[in-house]
Amino acid sequence: MFKKSLSHTGTFFLAVLSLLPLSILYIMADTAYLLIYYVFGYRRKVVRENLVNVFPEKTLDEIIRIEKKYYRYLSALIFEVIKMSNISAEEINKRFVFKNKEQVNEYLKNGESVLVCSAHYGNWEWGTMGIGLNFATADHYPIYKPLSNLIFDKWFRRIRSKFGNKLIPMRQTLRAIQASKDIPSIFSFGNDQSPSKNELHHWQTFLNQPAYIQLGIEKIAKRTNRPIFYFRISVIKRGHYEVDCVPLCLNPKDTQDYEITRLHTEFLEGIIKNEPAYWLWSHRRWKHKPAEAISSINTIKEEQMQQFA
């Protein structure tokens, strides 16, 4: 009962906080950065380990610069997400600009549906809102993983559903696709999360490490032959973003097994390596490692050690 009351108080506080202008929220974000990074050290060990493993060629000073830039951005992102509860369509359109929409719109105007691949990079939450606003001729179904706290999950679903978005829990994706098959639609996937334990089927190298990759978008694309676009988010400056609608695979049925998965994984890898600070480094992306990959890594390490024996 106490936990439930605390959750209701928390969502009420966030709703009140969202009434403040972004200029004030960004001042609060700067203070939050100092607390999160220097005082509480929120997941600093996880972030540092991820960065070192991904960028073994970088010096410690370079790693720390990326780390600090990441935490500064993460602090601003938290308050941008809070602002979603009270942000207007005009504000989203001003701050989240979509480029190269023509090809996506052509499919939708012809009564066809498309799949969108993205990641936890930049402000993906505002991006979800932006899709609903910029492609209003189609129903937009963001695929999401429900939160364990039901009260906060309800609050997030409400603010994420603004501007026409129809959120679909991951396990209901196929049912939603079947139900909407006769109308033009956009199903968007964030494909950089670790699969659940019962979905650890396919792994490949991602950012210099073996990683299990979700196969959901590939399975759906090959079954429906819906074209896939990667919505690449770029951070222009604080609170301002651009999204480039990049065609990733227009004929999924013609692809080999795991080809689509390799395409979107390598595409994201290039984005992260180019500007690493805007990816979600505090996420434990590599917590599950394939046994055969670990064995291979250990063998390589042994061979390297023998060279110096």
Side-chain angles (χ1 to χ4, degrees), residues 75-277:
S75 301
L77 176 63
I78 290 170
F79 284 88
E80 288 180 1
V81 171
I82 291 172
K83 184 62 181 176
M84 287 169 61
S85 183
N86 190 252
I87 200 165
S88 66
E90 292 75 19
E91 189 81 359
I92 288 291
N93 282 330
K94 182 178 74 173
R95 293 177 173 273
F96 225 100
V97 179
F98 283 73
K99 303 191 305 180
N100 302 317
K101 299 186 295 182
E102 297 79 14
Q103 197 168 5
V104 175
N105 279 324
E106 192 65 29
Y107 279 104
L108 300 177
K109 288 177 183 177
N110 291 334
E112 300 179 64
S113 296
V114 304
L115 305 178
V116 165
C117 192
S118 191
H120 292 84
Y121 186 91
N123 191 334
W124 63 90
E125 296 287 3
W126 281 11
T128 299
M129 287 181 155
I131 294 174
L133 289 170
N134 280 264
F135 301 95
T137 58
D139 288 341
H140 177 216
Y141 299 90
I143 309 303
Y144 82 107
K145 185 177 181 179
L147 300 175
S148 56
N149 186 307
L150 297 181
I151 294 171
F152 275 97
D153 182 65
K154 182 179 179 180
W155 183 78
F156 265 111
R157 279 192 288 111
R158 181 181 62 79
I159 64 175
R160 286 169 167 171
S161 298
K162 292 174 69 173
F163 314 132
N165 294 321
K166 302 178 179 181
L167 269 72
I168 302 295
M170 292 176 66
R171 296 183 181 277
Q172 298 178 21
T173 304
L174 289 176
R175 186 186 307 170
I177 286 177
Q178 180 64 25
S180 63
K181 64 180 181 178
D182 297 325
I183 57 175
S185 61
I186 299 175
F187 278 76
S188 58
F189 299 76
N191 267 37
D192 57 338
Q193 286 185 313
S194 296
S196 59
K197 285 188 177 181
N198 62 339
E199 296 175 328
L200 301 179
H201 306 308
H202 173 70
W203 69 270
Q204 65 187 60
T205 301
F206 173 58
L207 291 173
N208 200 44
Q209 299 169 85
Y212 282 108
I213 310 295
Q214 291 183 343
L215 297 174
I217 194 168
E218 174 165 334
K219 290 179 179 178
I220 291 169
K222 295 187 78 168
R223 180 180 297 186
T224 63
N225 204 35
R226 296 183 179 188
I228 305 172
F229 288 82
Y230 202 107
F231 279 17
R232 179 173 58 199
I233 298 175
S234 298
V235 181
I236 306 305
K237 60 181 181 178
R238 174 174 267 190
H240 291 268
Y241 304 84
E242 281 186 353
V243 181
D244 192 5
C245 306
V246 181
L248 189 71
C249 180
L250 300 182
N251 295 291
K253 284 188 176 179
D254 294 338
T255 61
Q256 301 296 316
D257 287 346
Y258 308 123
E259 182 178 347
I260 292 172
T261 301
R262 178 184 57 79
L263 281 172
H264 73 68
T265 302
E266 290 180 353
F267 194 91
L268 173 60
E269 190 174 66
I271 295 170
I272 294 171
K273 286 183 176 180
N274 182 59
E275 188 57 80

Side-chain angles (χ1 to χ4, degrees), residues 32-42 44 71 74-75 78:
Y33 160 67
L34 298 175
L35 294 173
I36 292 171
Y37 185 73
Y38 290 103
V39 178
F40 300 111
Y42 170 72
R44 275 181 61 175
Y71 275 99
L74 177 65
S75 301
I78 290 170

Side-chain angles (χ1 to χ4, degrees), residues 7-112:
S7 297
H8 280 298
T9 302
T11 55
F12 174 77
F13 173 73
L14 293 176
V16 172
L17 202 58
S18 73
L19 298 174
L20 295 173
L22 273 168
S23 57
I24 300 298
L25 292 178
Y26 284 136
I27 294 173
M28 298 173 70
D30 291 336
T31 302
Y33 160 67
L34 298 175
L35 294 173
I36 292 171
Y37 185 73
Y38 290 103
V39 178
F40 300 111
Y42 170 72
R43 290 201 170 187
R44 275 181 61 175
K45 184 178 179 180
V46 173
V47 173
R48 179 72 58 85
E49 182 180 342
N50 283 341
L51 288 171
V52 168
N53 288 338
V54 170
F55 300 109
E57 76 284 359
K58 294 188 182 296
T59 66
L60 180 58
D61 285 344
E62 289 174 319
I63 292 293
I64 291 174
R65 279 198 293 272
I66 296 172
E67 183 180 273
K68 288 182 177 179
K69 188 175 180 180
Y70 165 69
Y71 275 99
R72 189 177 294 277
Y73 178 72
L74 177 65
S75 301
L77 176 63
I78 290 170
F79 284 88
E80 288 180 1
V81 171
I82 291 172
K83 184 62 181 176
M84 287 169 61
S85 183
N86 190 252
I87 200 165
S88 66
E90 292 75 19
E91 189 81 359
I92 288 291
N93 282 330
K94 182 178 74 173
R95 293 177 173 273
F96 225 100
V97 179
F98 283 73
K99 303 191 305 180
N100 302 317
K101 299 186 295 182
E102 297 79 14
Q103 197 168 5
V104 175
N105 279 324
E106 192 65 29
Y107 279 104
L108 300 177
K109 288 177 183 177
N110 291 334
E112 300 179 64

